[in-house]
Amino acid sequence: PEMVLTVVQRLGLIPGSDIWVVGDHRIDSEAAKQAGATSIHLAHGYDVSGTHPPDRVIDDLRALRSLIEVGL
């Protein structure tokens, strides 16, 4: 989670579920969850099975835009 927390800190944000981490690997989901962020997985990536499943799974970045517009 260090990478996520470092970016959050550098941007002057507060860690929490309002922070979204978008990735295509289970490590991205794990880092997000351990940092207290919301995890969004791009389905074209790797398997996300593990101890930290993503909060949302999307097929492409167009779907991400929809999540942003409705607020997840």
Side-chain angles (χ1 to χ4, degrees):
E2 293 84 20
M3 178 182 67
V4 174
L5 294 172
T6 297
V7 170
V8 167
Q9 180 184 23
R10 287 185 182 175
L11 292 174
L13 302 172
I14 299 170
S17 61
D18 289 344
I19 304 298
W20 294 6
V21 176
V22 180
D24 65 353
H25 197 279
R26 69 176 176 80
I27 292 172
D28 302 322
S29 293
E30 290 173 5
K33 300 303 262 181
Q34 290 173 0
T38 296
S39 172
I40 301 172
H41 176 75
L42 287 167
H44 70 270
Y46 300 94
D47 179 25
V48 290
S49 60
T51 58
H52 301 284
D55 295 297
R56 295 277 197 247
V57 176
I58 59 175
D59 293 324
D60 54 38
L61 292 178
R62 287 181 296 246
L64 178 62
R65 181 178 178 170
S66 296
L67 287 179
I68 292 168
E69 289 173 351
V70 299
L72 190 74

Short mmCIF file of all heavy atoms in Angstrom, two decimals:
data_model
loop_
_atom_site.label_atom_id
_atom_site.label_comp_id
_atom_site.label_asym_id
_atom_site.label_seq_id
_atom_site.Cartn_x
_atom_site.Cartn_y
_atom_site.Cartn_z
N PRO A 1 0.80 -1.22 0.00
CA PRO A 1 0.00 0.00 0.00
C PRO A 1 0.84 1.28 0.00
O PRO A 1 0.31 2.37 -0.11
CB PRO A 1 -0.82 -0.12 1.27
CG PRO A 1 0.00 -0.94 2.20
CD PRO A 1 0.74 -1.90 1.30
N GLU A 2 2.15 1.13 0.14
CA GLU A 2 3.01 2.31 0.24
C GLU A 2 2.87 3.22 -0.98
O GLU A 2 2.84 4.45 -0.86
CB GLU A 2 4.47 1.91 0.44
CG GLU A 2 4.76 1.24 1.77
CD GLU A 2 4.46 -0.25 1.75
OE1 GLU A 2 4.40 -0.84 0.66
OE2 GLU A 2 4.26 -0.83 2.83
N MET A 3 2.81 2.63 -2.17
CA MET A 3 2.70 3.43 -3.39
C MET A 3 1.41 4.26 -3.37
O MET A 3 1.43 5.46 -3.67
CB MET A 3 2.72 2.54 -4.63
CG MET A 3 2.56 3.30 -5.93
SD MET A 3 2.55 2.26 -7.39
CE MET A 3 1.02 1.36 -7.18
N VAL A 4 0.31 3.64 -3.02
CA VAL A 4 -0.97 4.34 -2.97
C VAL A 4 -0.92 5.45 -1.93
O VAL A 4 -1.29 6.60 -2.19
CB VAL A 4 -2.13 3.37 -2.67
CG1 VAL A 4 -3.44 4.12 -2.49
CG2 VAL A 4 -2.25 2.33 -3.76
N LEU A 5 -0.42 5.14 -0.74
CA LEU A 5 -0.36 6.12 0.33
C LEU A 5 0.59 7.28 0.00
O LEU A 5 0.32 8.43 0.35
CB LEU A 5 0.03 5.45 1.64
CG LEU A 5 -1.00 4.46 2.18
CD1 LEU A 5 -0.45 3.70 3.38
CD2 LEU A 5 -2.31 5.17 2.53
N THR A 6 1.68 6.98 -0.69
CA THR A 6 2.61 8.03 -1.09
C THR A 6 1.95 9.00 -2.06
O THR A 6 2.07 10.23 -1.92
CB THR A 6 3.88 7.42 -1.73
OG1 THR A 6 4.55 6.62 -0.75
CG2 THR A 6 4.82 8.49 -2.25
N VAL A 7 1.24 8.47 -3.05
CA VAL A 7 0.56 9.33 -4.03
C VAL A 7 -0.51 10.17 -3.33
O VAL A 7 -0.62 11.38 -3.57
CB VAL A 7 -0.05 8.50 -5.17
CG1 VAL A 7 -0.96 9.33 -6.04
CG2 VAL A 7 1.05 7.85 -5.99
N VAL A 8 -1.27 9.55 -2.45
CA VAL A 8 -2.32 10.27 -1.72
C VAL A 8 -1.70 11.42 -0.92
O VAL A 8 -2.19 12.55 -0.94
CB VAL A 8 -3.10 9.29 -0.81
CG1 VAL A 8 -3.97 10.04 0.18
CG2 VAL A 8 -3.93 8.34 -1.65
N GLN A 9 -0.61 11.13 -0.23
CA GLN A 9 0.06 12.15 0.57
C GLN A 9 0.60 13.28 -0.30
O GLN A 9 0.41 14.46 0.01
CB GLN A 9 1.18 11.52 1.38
CG GLN A 9 1.93 12.51 2.24
CD GLN A 9 3.11 11.88 2.96
OE1 GLN A 9 3.64 10.87 2.53
NE2 GLN A 9 3.52 12.51 4.04
N ARG A 10 1.25 12.93 -1.39
CA ARG A 10 1.83 13.96 -2.27
C ARG A 10 0.77 14.86 -2.89
O ARG A 10 1.03 16.02 -3.19
CB ARG A 10 2.68 13.31 -3.36
CG ARG A 10 3.99 12.78 -2.82
CD ARG A 10 4.86 12.26 -3.92
NE ARG A 10 6.09 11.71 -3.35
CZ ARG A 10 7.00 11.10 -4.05
NH1 ARG A 10 6.86 10.93 -5.36
NH2 ARG A 10 8.08 10.63 -3.47
N LEU A 11 -0.42 14.31 -3.09
CA LEU A 11 -1.51 15.11 -3.65
C LEU A 11 -2.27 15.89 -2.57
O LEU A 11 -3.18 16.65 -2.88
CB LEU A 11 -2.48 14.21 -4.43
CG LEU A 11 -1.93 13.60 -5.71
CD1 LEU A 11 -2.92 12.61 -6.30
CD2 LEU A 11 -1.59 14.70 -6.73
N GLY A 12 -1.89 15.67 -1.31
CA GLY A 12 -2.53 16.38 -0.22
C GLY A 12 -3.93 15.88 0.08
O GLY A 12 -4.76 16.61 0.60
N LEU A 13 -4.18 14.62 -0.24
CA LEU A 13 -5.49 14.02 -0.01
C LEU A 13 -5.51 13.25 1.30
O LEU A 13 -4.46 12.97 1.88
CB LEU A 13 -5.85 13.11 -1.18
CG LEU A 13 -5.87 13.77 -2.56
CD1 LEU A 13 -6.05 12.73 -3.64
CD2 LEU A 13 -6.95 14.82 -2.62
N ILE A 14 -6.69 12.86 1.72
CA ILE A 14 -6.85 12.06 2.92
C ILE A 14 -7.15 10.62 2.50
O ILE A 14 -8.08 10.39 1.70
CB ILE A 14 -8.00 12.60 3.79
CG1 ILE A 14 -7.68 14.03 4.23
CG2 ILE A 14 -8.25 11.70 4.99
CD1 ILE A 14 -8.83 14.74 4.89
N PRO A 15 -6.39 9.65 3.00
CA PRO A 15 -6.65 8.25 2.64
C PRO A 15 -8.08 7.85 3.01
O PRO A 15 -8.60 8.28 4.03
CB PRO A 15 -5.63 7.46 3.47
CG PRO A 15 -4.57 8.44 3.81
CD PRO A 15 -5.26 9.78 3.91
N GLY A 16 -8.68 7.01 2.18
CA GLY A 16 -10.02 6.53 2.46
C GLY A 16 -10.70 6.02 1.20
O GLY A 16 -10.11 6.00 0.12
N SER A 17 -11.94 5.63 1.34
CA SER A 17 -12.67 5.02 0.23
C SER A 17 -12.97 6.00 -0.90
O SER A 17 -13.36 5.57 -1.99
CB SER A 17 -13.95 4.36 0.74
OG SER A 17 -14.80 5.35 1.31
N ASP A 18 -12.80 7.30 -0.66
CA ASP A 18 -12.99 8.28 -1.73
C ASP A 18 -11.84 8.24 -2.73
O ASP A 18 -11.93 8.83 -3.80
CB ASP A 18 -13.10 9.69 -1.17
CG ASP A 18 -14.41 9.92 -0.44
OD1 ASP A 18 -15.35 9.12 -0.63
OD2 ASP A 18 -14.50 10.89 0.31
N ILE A 19 -10.75 7.57 -2.38
CA ILE A 19 -9.61 7.40 -3.28
C ILE A 19 -9.85 6.13 -4.08
O ILE A 19 -10.10 5.07 -3.51
CB ILE A 19 -8.28 7.27 -2.48
CG1 ILE A 19 -8.08 8.47 -1.56
CG2 ILE A 19 -7.11 7.06 -3.42
CD1 ILE A 19 -7.96 9.79 -2.26
N TRP A 20 -9.77 6.24 -5.39
CA TRP A 20 -9.99 5.08 -6.27
C TRP A 20 -8.66 4.66 -6.88
O TRP A 20 -7.94 5.49 -7.42
CB TRP A 20 -10.94 5.41 -7.39
CG TRP A 20 -12.36 5.70 -6.96
CD1 TRP A 20 -12.84 5.82 -5.69
CD2 TRP A 20 -13.46 5.92 -7.83
NE1 TRP A 20 -14.17 6.11 -5.72
CE2 TRP A 20 -14.58 6.17 -7.02
CE3 TRP A 20 -13.61 5.94 -9.19
CZ2 TRP A 20 -15.84 6.43 -7.53
CZ3 TRP A 20 -14.86 6.20 -9.72
CH2 TRP A 20 -15.96 6.43 -8.89
N VAL A 21 -8.39 3.38 -6.81
CA VAL A 21 -7.21 2.81 -7.46
C VAL A 21 -7.70 1.91 -8.59
O VAL A 21 -8.43 0.95 -8.35
CB VAL A 21 -6.33 2.01 -6.47
CG1 VAL A 21 -5.17 1.36 -7.19
CG2 VAL A 21 -5.85 2.91 -5.35
N VAL A 22 -7.31 2.23 -9.82
CA VAL A 22 -7.72 1.45 -10.98
C VAL A 22 -6.51 0.65 -11.43
O VAL A 22 -5.43 1.19 -11.64
CB VAL A 22 -8.19 2.37 -12.13
CG1 VAL A 22 -8.61 1.54 -13.34
CG2 VAL A 22 -9.34 3.25 -11.65
N GLY A 23 -6.70 -0.66 -11.57
CA GLY A 23 -5.59 -1.51 -11.99
C GLY A 23 -6.07 -2.75 -12.70
O GLY A 23 -7.26 -3.01 -12.80
N ASP A 24 -5.10 -3.52 -13.18
CA ASP A 24 -5.45 -4.74 -13.91
C ASP A 24 -4.77 -5.98 -13.32
O ASP A 24 -4.66 -7.00 -13.97
CB ASP A 24 -5.10 -4.60 -15.39
CG ASP A 24 -3.61 -4.46 -15.64
OD1 ASP A 24 -2.84 -4.34 -14.67
OD2 ASP A 24 -3.21 -4.47 -16.82
N HIS A 25 -4.33 -5.89 -12.08
CA HIS A 25 -3.63 -7.00 -11.44
C HIS A 25 -4.09 -7.10 -9.99
O HIS A 25 -4.45 -6.10 -9.38
CB HIS A 25 -2.12 -6.76 -11.51
CG HIS A 25 -1.32 -7.99 -11.26
ND1 HIS A 25 -1.06 -8.44 -9.99
CD2 HIS A 25 -0.72 -8.85 -12.11
CE1 HIS A 25 -0.33 -9.54 -10.06
NE2 HIS A 25 -0.12 -9.82 -11.35
N ARG A 26 -4.04 -8.29 -9.45
CA ARG A 26 -4.48 -8.48 -8.06
C ARG A 26 -3.64 -7.65 -7.09
O ARG A 26 -4.13 -7.21 -6.05
CB ARG A 26 -4.48 -9.94 -7.67
CG ARG A 26 -3.13 -10.58 -7.56
CD ARG A 26 -3.21 -12.03 -7.06
NE ARG A 26 -1.90 -12.60 -7.06
CZ ARG A 26 -0.98 -12.39 -6.11
NH1 ARG A 26 -1.27 -11.63 -5.08
NH2 ARG A 26 0.21 -12.92 -6.20
N ILE A 27 -2.38 -7.40 -7.44
CA ILE A 27 -1.53 -6.59 -6.57
C ILE A 27 -2.09 -5.17 -6.45
O ILE A 27 -2.00 -4.55 -5.39
CB ILE A 27 -0.08 -6.58 -7.10
CG1 ILE A 27 0.52 -7.97 -6.95
CG2 ILE A 27 0.78 -5.54 -6.39
CD1 ILE A 27 1.87 -8.16 -7.61
N ASP A 28 -2.68 -4.66 -7.53
CA ASP A 28 -3.31 -3.34 -7.48
C ASP A 28 -4.47 -3.34 -6.50
O ASP A 28 -4.63 -2.41 -5.70
CB ASP A 28 -3.80 -2.92 -8.87
CG ASP A 28 -2.69 -2.90 -9.91
OD1 ASP A 28 -1.56 -2.49 -9.56
OD2 ASP A 28 -2.95 -3.30 -11.06
N SER A 29 -5.28 -4.39 -6.56
CA SER A 29 -6.42 -4.50 -5.64
C SER A 29 -5.95 -4.64 -4.21
O SER A 29 -6.51 -4.02 -3.29
CB SER A 29 -7.30 -5.70 -6.01
OG SER A 29 -7.92 -5.50 -7.25
N GLU A 30 -4.93 -5.43 -3.99
CA GLU A 30 -4.40 -5.62 -2.64
C GLU A 30 -3.87 -4.31 -2.07
O GLU A 30 -4.15 -3.96 -0.92
CB GLU A 30 -3.31 -6.68 -2.64
CG GLU A 30 -3.83 -8.07 -2.88
CD GLU A 30 -2.74 -9.12 -3.04
OE1 GLU A 30 -1.54 -8.78 -2.88
OE2 GLU A 30 -3.09 -10.27 -3.34
N ALA A 31 -3.11 -3.57 -2.88
CA ALA A 31 -2.55 -2.30 -2.42
C ALA A 31 -3.66 -1.31 -2.08
O ALA A 31 -3.60 -0.62 -1.05
CB ALA A 31 -1.62 -1.72 -3.48
N ALA A 32 -4.67 -1.25 -2.93
CA ALA A 32 -5.79 -0.34 -2.69
C ALA A 32 -6.48 -0.68 -1.38
O ALA A 32 -6.71 0.20 -0.54
CB ALA A 32 -6.78 -0.40 -3.85
N LYS A 33 -6.82 -1.92 -1.21
CA LYS A 33 -7.56 -2.34 -0.01
C LYS A 33 -6.74 -2.11 1.25
O LYS A 33 -7.26 -1.66 2.26
CB LYS A 33 -7.99 -3.79 -0.12
CG LYS A 33 -8.89 -4.09 -1.31
CD LYS A 33 -10.12 -3.25 -1.30
CE LYS A 33 -11.26 -4.05 -0.73
NZ LYS A 33 -12.51 -3.31 -0.69
N GLN A 34 -5.45 -2.43 1.20
CA GLN A 34 -4.60 -2.24 2.38
C GLN A 34 -4.43 -0.77 2.71
O GLN A 34 -4.19 -0.43 3.87
CB GLN A 34 -3.25 -2.92 2.16
CG GLN A 34 -3.34 -4.43 2.16
CD GLN A 34 -2.04 -5.11 1.78
OE1 GLN A 34 -1.05 -4.47 1.50
NE2 GLN A 34 -2.07 -6.43 1.76
N ALA A 35 -4.55 0.10 1.71
CA ALA A 35 -4.45 1.54 1.94
C ALA A 35 -5.80 2.16 2.30
O ALA A 35 -5.90 3.36 2.53
CB ALA A 35 -3.89 2.22 0.69
N GLY A 36 -6.85 1.35 2.32
CA GLY A 36 -8.18 1.85 2.64
C GLY A 36 -8.90 2.50 1.48
O GLY A 36 -9.91 3.17 1.66
N ALA A 37 -8.38 2.32 0.27
CA ALA A 37 -8.96 2.93 -0.93
C ALA A 37 -9.95 1.97 -1.60
O ALA A 37 -10.00 0.78 -1.28
CB ALA A 37 -7.85 3.29 -1.92
N THR A 38 -10.70 2.50 -2.53
CA THR A 38 -11.61 1.70 -3.34
C THR A 38 -10.84 1.11 -4.52
O THR A 38 -10.09 1.81 -5.19
CB THR A 38 -12.77 2.58 -3.86
OG1 THR A 38 -13.52 3.04 -2.73
CG2 THR A 38 -13.68 1.80 -4.80
N SER A 39 -11.01 -0.17 -4.75
CA SER A 39 -10.29 -0.87 -5.81
C SER A 39 -11.21 -1.13 -7.00
O SER A 39 -12.30 -1.70 -6.85
CB SER A 39 -9.78 -2.21 -5.27
OG SER A 39 -9.24 -2.98 -6.31
N ILE A 40 -10.75 -0.71 -8.17
CA ILE A 40 -11.49 -0.93 -9.41
C ILE A 40 -10.59 -1.72 -10.35
O ILE A 40 -9.48 -1.29 -10.67
CB ILE A 40 -11.92 0.40 -10.05
CG1 ILE A 40 -12.79 1.18 -9.06
CG2 ILE A 40 -12.65 0.14 -11.37
CD1 ILE A 40 -13.12 2.57 -9.48
N HIS A 41 -11.06 -2.88 -10.75
CA HIS A 41 -10.26 -3.79 -11.57
C HIS A 41 -10.70 -3.77 -13.03
O HIS A 41 -11.89 -3.89 -13.32
CB HIS A 41 -10.38 -5.22 -11.03
CG HIS A 41 -9.66 -6.23 -11.85
ND1 HIS A 41 -8.29 -6.36 -11.82
CD2 HIS A 41 -10.11 -7.15 -12.72
CE1 HIS A 41 -7.93 -7.33 -12.65
NE2 HIS A 41 -9.02 -7.82 -13.21
N LEU A 42 -9.74 -3.59 -13.93
CA LEU A 42 -10.01 -3.70 -15.37
C LEU A 42 -10.00 -5.18 -15.74
O LEU A 42 -8.98 -5.86 -15.60
CB LEU A 42 -8.96 -2.96 -16.18
CG LEU A 42 -9.06 -1.45 -16.13
CD1 LEU A 42 -7.80 -0.81 -16.69
CD2 LEU A 42 -10.28 -0.97 -16.88
N ALA A 43 -11.12 -5.70 -16.20
CA ALA A 43 -11.30 -7.13 -16.41
C ALA A 43 -10.37 -7.74 -17.44
O ALA A 43 -10.16 -8.95 -17.43
CB ALA A 43 -12.75 -7.42 -16.79
N HIS A 44 -9.81 -6.95 -18.31
CA HIS A 44 -8.91 -7.52 -19.32
C HIS A 44 -7.56 -7.91 -18.73
O HIS A 44 -6.74 -8.50 -19.42
CB HIS A 44 -8.71 -6.53 -20.47
CG HIS A 44 -7.89 -5.34 -20.09
ND1 HIS A 44 -8.47 -4.20 -19.59
CD2 HIS A 44 -6.55 -5.12 -20.11
CE1 HIS A 44 -7.51 -3.32 -19.33
NE2 HIS A 44 -6.35 -3.84 -19.63
N GLY A 45 -7.35 -7.60 -17.48
CA GLY A 45 -6.05 -7.87 -16.85
C GLY A 45 -5.95 -9.27 -16.29
O GLY A 45 -6.59 -10.21 -16.75
N TYR A 46 -5.19 -9.38 -15.26
CA TYR A 46 -4.89 -10.67 -14.63
C TYR A 46 -5.99 -11.09 -13.67
O TYR A 46 -6.87 -10.32 -13.32
CB TYR A 46 -3.57 -10.56 -13.89
CG TYR A 46 -2.41 -10.20 -14.78
CD1 TYR A 46 -2.02 -8.88 -14.94
CD2 TYR A 46 -1.73 -11.18 -15.47
CE1 TYR A 46 -0.96 -8.55 -15.77
CE2 TYR A 46 -0.67 -10.85 -16.30
CZ TYR A 46 -0.29 -9.54 -16.45
OH TYR A 46 0.75 -9.21 -17.26
N ASP A 47 -5.88 -12.31 -13.21
CA ASP A 47 -6.80 -12.86 -12.22
C ASP A 47 -6.75 -12.03 -10.94
O ASP A 47 -5.68 -11.65 -10.49
CB ASP A 47 -6.39 -14.31 -11.94
CG ASP A 47 -7.27 -14.98 -10.90
OD1 ASP A 47 -8.44 -14.56 -10.73
OD2 ASP A 47 -6.79 -15.92 -10.26
N VAL A 48 -7.89 -11.74 -10.37
CA VAL A 48 -7.93 -10.95 -9.14
C VAL A 48 -8.30 -11.77 -7.93
O VAL A 48 -8.58 -11.22 -6.87
CB VAL A 48 -8.88 -9.74 -9.26
CG1 VAL A 48 -8.33 -8.71 -10.20
CG2 VAL A 48 -10.27 -10.16 -9.63
N SER A 49 -8.32 -13.09 -8.06
CA SER A 49 -8.65 -13.89 -6.89
C SER A 49 -7.56 -13.70 -5.84
O SER A 49 -6.40 -13.48 -6.16
CB SER A 49 -8.79 -15.37 -7.27
OG SER A 49 -7.57 -15.84 -7.81
N GLY A 50 -7.95 -13.74 -4.62
CA GLY A 50 -6.99 -13.54 -3.54
C GLY A 50 -7.69 -13.03 -2.31
O GLY A 50 -8.92 -13.07 -2.20
N THR A 51 -6.92 -12.51 -1.40
CA THR A 51 -7.47 -12.09 -0.12
C THR A 51 -8.12 -10.71 -0.17
O THR A 51 -8.82 -10.34 0.76
CB THR A 51 -6.37 -12.08 0.96
OG1 THR A 51 -5.31 -11.21 0.53
CG2 THR A 51 -5.82 -13.47 1.19
N HIS A 52 -7.89 -9.95 -1.24
CA HIS A 52 -8.43 -8.60 -1.35
C HIS A 52 -9.15 -8.42 -2.69
O HIS A 52 -8.62 -7.77 -3.59
CB HIS A 52 -7.33 -7.56 -1.19
CG HIS A 52 -6.60 -7.65 0.10
ND1 HIS A 52 -7.13 -7.19 1.29
CD2 HIS A 52 -5.39 -8.15 0.41
CE1 HIS A 52 -6.27 -7.41 2.26
NE2 HIS A 52 -5.21 -7.99 1.75
N PRO A 53 -10.35 -8.96 -2.83
CA PRO A 53 -11.05 -8.79 -4.11
C PRO A 53 -11.39 -7.32 -4.34
O PRO A 53 -11.58 -6.56 -3.39
CB PRO A 53 -12.32 -9.62 -3.94
CG PRO A 53 -12.52 -9.73 -2.47
CD PRO A 53 -11.16 -9.68 -1.86
N PRO A 54 -11.47 -6.89 -5.60
CA PRO A 54 -11.78 -5.49 -5.90
C PRO A 54 -13.21 -5.13 -5.52
O PRO A 54 -14.08 -5.98 -5.43
CB PRO A 54 -11.57 -5.40 -7.40
CG PRO A 54 -11.79 -6.79 -7.90
CD PRO A 54 -11.30 -7.69 -6.81
N ASP A 55 -13.43 -3.83 -5.33
CA ASP A 55 -14.79 -3.35 -5.04
C ASP A 55 -15.67 -3.37 -6.28
O ASP A 55 -16.86 -3.60 -6.20
CB ASP A 55 -14.72 -1.92 -4.50
CG ASP A 55 -14.02 -1.87 -3.16
OD1 ASP A 55 -14.53 -2.48 -2.21
OD2 ASP A 55 -12.94 -1.25 -3.07
N ARG A 56 -15.05 -3.11 -7.43
CA ARG A 56 -15.76 -3.11 -8.71
C ARG A 56 -14.87 -3.73 -9.77
O ARG A 56 -13.65 -3.61 -9.72
CB ARG A 56 -16.09 -1.69 -9.17
CG ARG A 56 -17.05 -0.94 -8.30
CD ARG A 56 -18.48 -1.32 -8.67
NE ARG A 56 -19.40 -0.35 -8.14
CZ ARG A 56 -20.28 -0.62 -7.19
NH1 ARG A 56 -20.37 -1.81 -6.70
NH2 ARG A 56 -21.10 0.31 -6.75
N VAL A 57 -15.51 -4.36 -10.75
CA VAL A 57 -14.81 -4.88 -11.92
C VAL A 57 -15.44 -4.22 -13.14
O VAL A 57 -16.67 -4.21 -13.27
CB VAL A 57 -14.92 -6.42 -12.02
CG1 VAL A 57 -14.26 -6.93 -13.29
CG2 VAL A 57 -14.31 -7.09 -10.79
N ILE A 58 -14.60 -3.65 -14.00
CA ILE A 58 -15.10 -2.99 -15.20
C ILE A 58 -14.43 -3.60 -16.42
O ILE A 58 -13.33 -4.15 -16.33
CB ILE A 58 -14.88 -1.47 -15.16
CG1 ILE A 58 -13.40 -1.12 -15.01
CG2 ILE A 58 -15.72 -0.84 -14.06
CD1 ILE A 58 -13.10 0.37 -15.08
N ASP A 59 -15.10 -3.51 -17.56
CA ASP A 59 -14.58 -4.09 -18.79
C ASP A 59 -13.59 -3.18 -19.51
O ASP A 59 -12.68 -3.65 -20.19
CB ASP A 59 -15.71 -4.43 -19.75
CG ASP A 59 -16.57 -5.56 -19.21
OD1 ASP A 59 -16.02 -6.48 -18.57
OD2 ASP A 59 -17.79 -5.53 -19.43
N ASP A 60 -13.78 -1.86 -19.38
CA ASP A 60 -12.90 -0.93 -20.09
C ASP A 60 -13.00 0.44 -19.42
O ASP A 60 -13.78 0.64 -18.49
CB ASP A 60 -13.26 -0.84 -21.57
CG ASP A 60 -14.73 -0.50 -21.80
OD1 ASP A 60 -15.29 0.31 -21.04
OD2 ASP A 60 -15.30 -1.03 -22.76
N LEU A 61 -12.22 1.39 -19.91
CA LEU A 61 -12.20 2.71 -19.30
C LEU A 61 -13.47 3.51 -19.54
O LEU A 61 -13.76 4.44 -18.79
CB LEU A 61 -10.96 3.48 -19.77
CG LEU A 61 -9.64 2.91 -19.25
CD1 LEU A 61 -8.47 3.70 -19.80
CD2 LEU A 61 -9.60 2.88 -17.72
N ARG A 62 -14.25 3.13 -20.55
CA ARG A 62 -15.56 3.79 -20.72
C ARG A 62 -16.44 3.51 -19.51
O ARG A 62 -17.19 4.38 -19.06
CB ARG A 62 -16.23 3.32 -22.00
CG ARG A 62 -15.60 3.88 -23.27
CD ARG A 62 -16.35 3.39 -24.48
NE ARG A 62 -16.23 1.94 -24.56
CZ ARG A 62 -15.59 1.30 -25.53
NH1 ARG A 62 -15.07 1.97 -26.52
NH2 ARG A 62 -15.49 0.00 -25.51
N ALA A 63 -16.34 2.30 -18.99
CA ALA A 63 -17.12 1.96 -17.80
C ALA A 63 -16.65 2.77 -16.59
O ALA A 63 -17.45 3.10 -15.71
CB ALA A 63 -17.02 0.46 -17.52
N LEU A 64 -15.36 3.08 -16.55
CA LEU A 64 -14.84 3.91 -15.47
C LEU A 64 -15.49 5.29 -15.51
O LEU A 64 -15.87 5.84 -14.48
CB LEU A 64 -13.32 4.03 -15.56
CG LEU A 64 -12.67 4.91 -14.50
CD1 LEU A 64 -12.92 4.36 -13.10
CD2 LEU A 64 -11.18 5.03 -14.77
N ARG A 65 -15.63 5.83 -16.69
CA ARG A 65 -16.27 7.13 -16.83
C ARG A 65 -17.69 7.09 -16.26
O ARG A 65 -18.11 8.01 -15.56
CB ARG A 65 -16.31 7.55 -18.29
CG ARG A 65 -16.95 8.89 -18.49
CD ARG A 65 -16.93 9.31 -19.93
NE ARG A 65 -17.61 10.60 -20.04
CZ ARG A 65 -17.61 11.33 -21.11
NH1 ARG A 65 -16.95 10.94 -22.18
NH2 ARG A 65 -18.24 12.47 -21.14
N SER A 66 -18.41 6.02 -16.52
CA SER A 66 -19.75 5.87 -15.98
C SER A 66 -19.74 5.84 -14.46
O SER A 66 -20.59 6.45 -13.81
CB SER A 66 -20.42 4.61 -16.52
OG SER A 66 -20.59 4.69 -17.90
N LEU A 67 -18.77 5.13 -13.88
CA LEU A 67 -18.66 5.09 -12.42
C LEU A 67 -18.39 6.47 -11.85
O LEU A 67 -18.95 6.85 -10.82
CB LEU A 67 -17.54 4.14 -11.99
CG LEU A 67 -17.79 2.65 -12.13
CD1 LEU A 67 -16.56 1.86 -11.69
CD2 LEU A 67 -19.00 2.22 -11.33
N ILE A 68 -17.53 7.22 -12.51
CA ILE A 68 -17.21 8.58 -12.06
C ILE A 68 -18.47 9.44 -12.11
O ILE A 68 -18.75 10.20 -11.16
CB ILE A 68 -16.08 9.18 -12.91
CG1 ILE A 68 -14.77 8.44 -12.63
CG2 ILE A 68 -15.94 10.68 -12.64
CD1 ILE A 68 -13.66 8.76 -13.60
N GLU A 69 -19.22 9.33 -13.18
CA GLU A 69 -20.41 10.16 -13.34
C GLU A 69 -21.48 9.86 -12.29
O GLU A 69 -22.18 10.77 -11.85
CB GLU A 69 -20.97 10.00 -14.75
CG GLU A 69 -20.10 10.64 -15.80
CD GLU A 69 -20.54 10.34 -17.23
OE1 GLU A 69 -21.43 9.48 -17.43
OE2 GLU A 69 -19.98 10.97 -18.14
N VAL A 70 -21.62 8.61 -11.89
CA VAL A 70 -22.65 8.25 -10.90
C VAL A 70 -22.09 8.16 -9.49
O VAL A 70 -22.85 7.97 -8.54
CB VAL A 70 -23.37 6.94 -11.28
CG1 VAL A 70 -24.08 7.06 -12.60
CG2 VAL A 70 -22.44 5.76 -11.25
N GLY A 71 -20.80 8.27 -9.35
CA GLY A 71 -20.20 8.24 -8.01
C GLY A 71 -20.04 6.87 -7.43
O GLY A 71 -20.17 6.67 -6.24
N LEU A 72 -19.78 5.88 -8.30
CA LEU A 72 -19.56 4.47 -7.92
C LEU A 72 -20.83 3.92 -7.38
O LEU A 72 -21.18 2.99 -7.04
CB LEU A 72 -18.39 4.35 -6.95
CG LEU A 72 -17.87 2.96 -6.64
CD1 LEU A 72 -17.09 2.39 -7.79
CD2 LEU A 72 -16.97 2.99 -5.43
#
